[in-house]
Amino acid sequence: MAETAANIMNVTDKPFVWTRPVAPGLHGTPGAPGVTALWRENLAFATLTVRRGQEAALALAAAREHAVSLPDGPFAAQGKGHQGKGFVCFGTGPGRWLACSEEATDLAGDLAATLGSTATVTAQDDAYVAFDLSGPCVPELLAKLVAIDLDPTVFPAGSVAVTSTAHMGLMLWKLDADRVRLLVGTSLAASFSRTLAASALEYGFRLEAGRGTGRG
Amino acid sequence: MRIPCPYCGPRDSSEFSYLGDAAPTRPDPAAPGAEDAFFDYVYLRDNPAGPLEELWFHASGCRQWLKVLRDTRTHLISGAVFARPKAEVAR
C-alpha cells in the first residue's frame, strides 16, 4: 500500500512528533522517485555586506583576490578562495551576498582576510541546511512551494530567489538544468522536510541524508 | 496583488509588509511649530481615490523598502522603486 500523508507524517502519540525530520528513504508513490532530496549540512556559508561607500573598492578587491564579479542581482557567480578552494556567491539584496562552498573549511575567515576592510563578513556555516533536489518532478513540486516563475527562459541555471514557503524563509538556487538547491534556516529544517515530503509524496519522494559531518 | 520588486522581480504581496503613504516626511523637532507639524505627520493622511505612492517592505525577499505606486480603486500596481537611492540603501 502506498504511504499516505498521515503515516509519513508519523502521526502517533509520540510527543514533539511535528518537530522531527522525515526519515531517510523512499516515501509515497512506489517505484522510481519523482523527486530526490539530499539533505546536506556540510556546506560552508558566509554573508558579505558592503560597507557604506565601499561598493567600488569591494568589487575591485573581490575581482583581484577571488576572481569573482559580485553579482548585482539574484544570481550566482563562481569565485576562487584560499588555496584555490572554490566558492559561489549570489546576491540576496542590494549590497548583500551569500557565499557558499563545498570545499572551504573556513570560508568566512578567508573572505574576511581579503574583503574585511570593504565588507562585513559573517560566518553562517550552521545557519542554513541545504536540500539538493533532483528528479523529473522537481518543477511540479516547486510549483506547489513557491509563487515564482521558474521557467528556464526566465530562471536559468545560476538564478537565485530569496522567498518563503509555508511561512518559512527559503532560498531557491538553480544549480544547473537538473538540480535545485533549497536553503532553509537550520532550526526550520525538520519542519521544512515535512513540507517537502508532504508536497512530494504523490511523485514518489526519496530523502537521502548527507548529514552528520560534525559541524553544528 | 503582484509587486515588481526592482531587485527580486515580480513577487506576491504576501512577501511584503505594508507601511502606507510614502509622502509624509518627519518634521524637524527643533523648528518652531514642531508640535503642530508632528501632529500632521503622525495623524493626517490624504485618502485619494486613484494612484498613491506607498511604502512596502520586501520582508521575505531582499529586505528593502520600496516605493510602490498603487491605484487605490483597482489595486493596479504600476511601478516600484527602491525607497532610498541605491548608494545609501539600508543594510
PDB file of all heavy atoms in Angstrom, chain B residues 44-60:
ATOM      1  N   LEU B  44      -2.374  62.938  10.067  1.00  0.00           N
ATOM      2  CA  LEU B  44      -3.104  63.368   8.875  1.00  0.00           C
ATOM      3  C   LEU B  44      -2.641  62.625   7.628  1.00  0.00           C
ATOM      4  O   LEU B  44      -1.457  62.597   7.315  1.00  0.00           O
ATOM      5  CB  LEU B  44      -2.944  64.880   8.648  1.00  0.00           C
ATOM      6  CG  LEU B  44      -3.631  65.767   9.682  1.00  0.00           C
ATOM      7  CD1 LEU B  44      -3.653  67.211   9.191  1.00  0.00           C
ATOM      8  CD2 LEU B  44      -5.060  65.304   9.960  1.00  0.00           C
ATOM      9  N   ARG B  45      -3.584  62.031   6.951  1.00  0.00           N
ATOM     10  CA  ARG B  45      -3.287  61.347   5.692  1.00  0.00           C
ATOM     11  C   ARG B  45      -4.313  61.748   4.654  1.00  0.00           C
ATOM     12  O   ARG B  45      -5.505  61.869   4.971  1.00  0.00           O
ATOM     13  CB  ARG B  45      -3.350  59.816   5.871  1.00  0.00           C
ATOM     14  CG  ARG B  45      -2.268  59.235   6.769  1.00  0.00           C
ATOM     15  CD  ARG B  45      -0.896  59.327   6.131  1.00  0.00           C
ATOM     16  NE  ARG B  45       0.134  58.766   7.000  1.00  0.00           N
ATOM     17  CZ  ARG B  45       0.773  59.421   7.949  1.00  0.00           C
ATOM     18  NH1 ARG B  45       0.467  60.693   8.170  1.00  0.00           N
ATOM     19  NH2 ARG B  45       1.692  58.847   8.684  1.00  0.00           N
ATOM     20  N   ASP B  46      -3.884  61.924   3.427  1.00  0.00           N
ATOM     21  CA  ASP B  46      -4.826  62.054   2.329  1.00  0.00           C
ATOM     22  C   ASP B  46      -5.413  60.682   2.066  1.00  0.00           C
ATOM     23  O   ASP B  46      -4.821  59.663   2.416  1.00  0.00           O
ATOM     24  CB  ASP B  46      -4.117  62.569   1.063  1.00  0.00           C
ATOM     25  CG  ASP B  46      -3.649  63.997   1.234  1.00  0.00           C
ATOM     26  OD1 ASP B  46      -4.244  64.713   2.062  1.00  0.00           O
ATOM     27  OD2 ASP B  46      -2.676  64.391   0.562  1.00  0.00           O
ATOM     28  N   ASN B  47      -6.577  60.655   1.462  1.00  0.00           N
ATOM     29  CA  ASN B  47      -7.196  59.364   1.158  1.00  0.00           C
ATOM     30  C   ASN B  47      -7.649  59.379  -0.298  1.00  0.00           C
ATOM     31  O   ASN B  47      -8.842  59.377  -0.587  1.00  0.00           O
ATOM     32  CB  ASN B  47      -8.372  59.123   2.108  1.00  0.00           C
ATOM     33  CG  ASN B  47      -8.965  57.741   1.925  1.00  0.00           C
ATOM     34  OD1 ASN B  47      -8.304  56.844   1.408  1.00  0.00           O
ATOM     35  ND2 ASN B  47     -10.216  57.574   2.321  1.00  0.00           N
ATOM     36  N   PRO B  48      -6.694  59.466  -1.215  1.00  0.00           N
ATOM     37  CA  PRO B  48      -7.064  59.682  -2.612  1.00  0.00           C
ATOM     38  C   PRO B  48      -7.707  58.450  -3.235  1.00  0.00           C
ATOM     39  O   PRO B  48      -7.356  57.318  -2.898  1.00  0.00           O
ATOM     40  CB  PRO B  48      -5.721  59.991  -3.285  1.00  0.00           C
ATOM     41  CG  PRO B  48      -4.722  59.281  -2.457  1.00  0.00           C
ATOM     42  CD  PRO B  48      -5.237  59.320  -1.047  1.00  0.00           C
ATOM     43  N   ALA B  49      -8.671  58.670  -4.126  1.00  0.00           N
ATOM     44  CA  ALA B  49      -9.204  57.596  -4.954  1.00  0.00           C
ATOM     45  C   ALA B  49      -8.430  57.657  -6.261  1.00  0.00           C
ATOM     46  O   ALA B  49      -8.712  58.471  -7.129  1.00  0.00           O
ATOM     47  CB  ALA B  49     -10.700  57.791  -5.188  1.00  0.00           C
ATOM     48  N   GLY B  50      -7.403  56.798  -6.364  1.00  0.00           N
ATOM     49  CA  GLY B  50      -6.553  56.836  -7.550  1.00  0.00           C
ATOM     50  C   GLY B  50      -5.144  56.428  -7.192  1.00  0.00           C
ATOM     51  O   GLY B  50      -4.929  55.772  -6.173  1.00  0.00           O
ATOM     52  N   PRO B  51      -4.184  56.832  -8.010  1.00  0.00           N
ATOM     53  CA  PRO B  51      -2.798  56.410  -7.782  1.00  0.00           C
ATOM     54  C   PRO B  51      -2.251  56.983  -6.478  1.00  0.00           C
ATOM     55  O   PRO B  51      -2.465  58.149  -6.173  1.00  0.00           O
ATOM     56  CB  PRO B  51      -2.036  56.975  -8.987  1.00  0.00           C
ATOM     57  CG  PRO B  51      -3.079  57.399  -9.965  1.00  0.00           C
ATOM     58  CD  PRO B  51      -4.325  57.667  -9.206  1.00  0.00           C
ATOM     59  N   LEU B  52      -1.570  56.129  -5.694  1.00  0.00           N
ATOM     60  CA  LEU B  52      -0.983  56.569  -4.428  1.00  0.00           C
ATOM     61  C   LEU B  52       0.382  55.912  -4.291  1.00  0.00           C
ATOM     62  O   LEU B  52       0.528  54.702  -4.497  1.00  0.00           O
ATOM     63  CB  LEU B  52      -1.886  56.149  -3.262  1.00  0.00           C
ATOM     64  CG  LEU B  52      -1.369  56.476  -1.852  1.00  0.00           C
ATOM     65  CD1 LEU B  52      -1.280  57.983  -1.645  1.00  0.00           C
ATOM     66  CD2 LEU B  52      -2.273  55.849  -0.792  1.00  0.00           C
ATOM     67  N   GLU B  53       1.389  56.740  -3.936  1.00  0.00           N
ATOM     68  CA  GLU B  53       2.722  56.193  -3.717  1.00  0.00           C
ATOM     69  C   GLU B  53       2.820  55.718  -2.271  1.00  0.00           C
ATOM     70  O   GLU B  53       2.577  56.495  -1.337  1.00  0.00           O
ATOM     71  CB  GLU B  53       3.790  57.241  -4.011  1.00  0.00           C
ATOM     72  CG  GLU B  53       5.127  56.634  -4.307  1.00  0.00           C
ATOM     73  CD  GLU B  53       6.130  57.654  -4.827  1.00  0.00           C
ATOM     74  OE1 GLU B  53       6.251  58.736  -4.217  1.00  0.00           O
ATOM     75  OE2 GLU B  53       6.791  57.363  -5.833  1.00  0.00           O
ATOM     76  N   GLU B  54       3.162  54.438  -2.070  1.00  0.00           N
ATOM     77  CA  GLU B  54       3.152  53.837  -0.745  1.00  0.00           C
ATOM     78  C   GLU B  54       4.478  53.150  -0.446  1.00  0.00           C
ATOM     79  O   GLU B  54       5.208  52.767  -1.358  1.00  0.00           O
ATOM     80  CB  GLU B  54       2.052  52.757  -0.674  1.00  0.00           C
ATOM     81  CG  GLU B  54       0.679  53.281  -0.999  1.00  0.00           C
ATOM     82  CD  GLU B  54      -0.335  52.162  -1.093  1.00  0.00           C
ATOM     83  OE1 GLU B  54      -0.007  51.101  -1.635  1.00  0.00           O
ATOM     84  OE2 GLU B  54      -1.448  52.358  -0.600  1.00  0.00           O
ATOM     85  N   LEU B  55       4.754  52.959   0.850  1.00  0.00           N
ATOM     86  CA  LEU B  55       5.959  52.240   1.261  1.00  0.00           C
ATOM     87  C   LEU B  55       5.614  50.789   1.575  1.00  0.00           C
ATOM     88  O   LEU B  55       4.696  50.511   2.357  1.00  0.00           O
ATOM     89  CB  LEU B  55       6.589  52.907   2.487  1.00  0.00           C
ATOM     90  CG  LEU B  55       7.264  54.255   2.218  1.00  0.00           C
ATOM     91  CD1 LEU B  55       7.607  54.945   3.535  1.00  0.00           C
ATOM     92  CD2 LEU B  55       8.517  54.085   1.374  1.00  0.00           C
ATOM     93  N   TRP B  56       6.341  49.884   0.959  1.00  0.00           N
ATOM     94  CA  TRP B  56       6.209  48.457   1.216  1.00  0.00           C
ATOM     95  C   TRP B  56       7.603  47.910   1.520  1.00  0.00           C
ATOM     96  O   TRP B  56       8.583  48.321   0.894  1.00  0.00           O
ATOM     97  CB  TRP B  56       5.667  47.719  -0.015  1.00  0.00           C
ATOM     98  CG  TRP B  56       4.244  48.010  -0.377  1.00  0.00           C
ATOM     99  CD1 TRP B  56       3.773  49.155  -0.957  1.00  0.00           C
ATOM    100  CD2 TRP B  56       3.119  47.133  -0.218  1.00  0.00           C
ATOM    101  NE1 TRP B  56       2.417  49.037  -1.177  1.00  0.00           N
ATOM    102  CE2 TRP B  56       1.994  47.803  -0.734  1.00  0.00           C
ATOM    103  CE3 TRP B  56       2.961  45.842   0.298  1.00  0.00           C
ATOM    104  CZ2 TRP B  56       0.728  47.238  -0.739  1.00  0.00           C
ATOM    105  CZ3 TRP B  56       1.696  45.280   0.281  1.00  0.00           C
ATOM    106  CH2 TRP B  56       0.584  45.974  -0.224  1.00  0.00           C
ATOM    107  N   PHE B  57       7.681  46.974   2.459  1.00  0.00           N
ATOM    108  CA  PHE B  57       8.964  46.365   2.827  1.00  0.00           C
ATOM    109  C   PHE B  57       8.993  44.930   2.315  1.00  0.00           C
ATOM    110  O   PHE B  57       8.088  44.139   2.611  1.00  0.00           O
ATOM    111  CB  PHE B  57       9.121  46.385   4.350  1.00  0.00           C
ATOM    112  CG  PHE B  57      10.417  45.796   4.832  1.00  0.00           C
ATOM    113  CD1 PHE B  57      11.627  46.375   4.490  1.00  0.00           C
ATOM    114  CD2 PHE B  57      10.428  44.663   5.631  1.00  0.00           C
ATOM    115  CE1 PHE B  57      12.826  45.836   4.933  1.00  0.00           C
ATOM    116  CE2 PHE B  57      11.620  44.117   6.081  1.00  0.00           C
ATOM    117  CZ  PHE B  57      12.821  44.709   5.733  1.00  0.00           C
ATOM    118  N   HIS B  58      10.026  44.597   1.545  1.00  0.00           N
ATOM    119  CA  HIS B  58      10.097  43.247   0.982  1.00  0.00           C
ATOM    120  C   HIS B  58      10.712  42.292   2.011  1.00  0.00           C
ATOM    121  O   HIS B  58      11.870  41.881   1.893  1.00  0.00           O
ATOM    122  CB  HIS B  58      10.884  43.247  -0.326  1.00  0.00           C
ATOM    123  CG  HIS B  58      10.659  41.985  -1.110  1.00  0.00           C
ATOM    124  ND1 HIS B  58      11.305  41.714  -2.290  1.00  0.00           N
ATOM    125  CD2 HIS B  58       9.845  40.929  -0.875  1.00  0.00           C
ATOM    126  CE1 HIS B  58      10.895  40.530  -2.737  1.00  0.00           C
ATOM    127  NE2 HIS B  58      10.017  40.043  -1.891  1.00  0.00           N
ATOM    128  N   ALA B  59       9.908  41.956   3.017  1.00  0.00           N
ATOM    129  CA  ALA B  59      10.414  41.234   4.185  1.00  0.00           C
ATOM    130  C   ALA B  59      10.935  39.839   3.838  1.00  0.00           C
ATOM    131  O   ALA B  59      11.934  39.384   4.377  1.00  0.00           O
ATOM    132  CB  ALA B  59       9.314  41.135   5.234  1.00  0.00           C
ATOM    133  N   SER B  60      10.253  39.124   2.947  1.00  0.00           N
ATOM    134  CA  SER B  60      10.657  37.750   2.632  1.00  0.00           C
ATOM    135  C   SER B  60      11.638  37.675   1.473  1.00  0.00           C
ATOM    136  O   SER B  60      11.980  36.577   1.037  1.00  0.00           O
ATOM    137  CB  SER B  60       9.427  36.896   2.294  1.00  0.00           C
ATOM    138  OG  SER B  60       8.575  36.836   3.386  1.00  0.00           O
TER     139      SER B  60
END
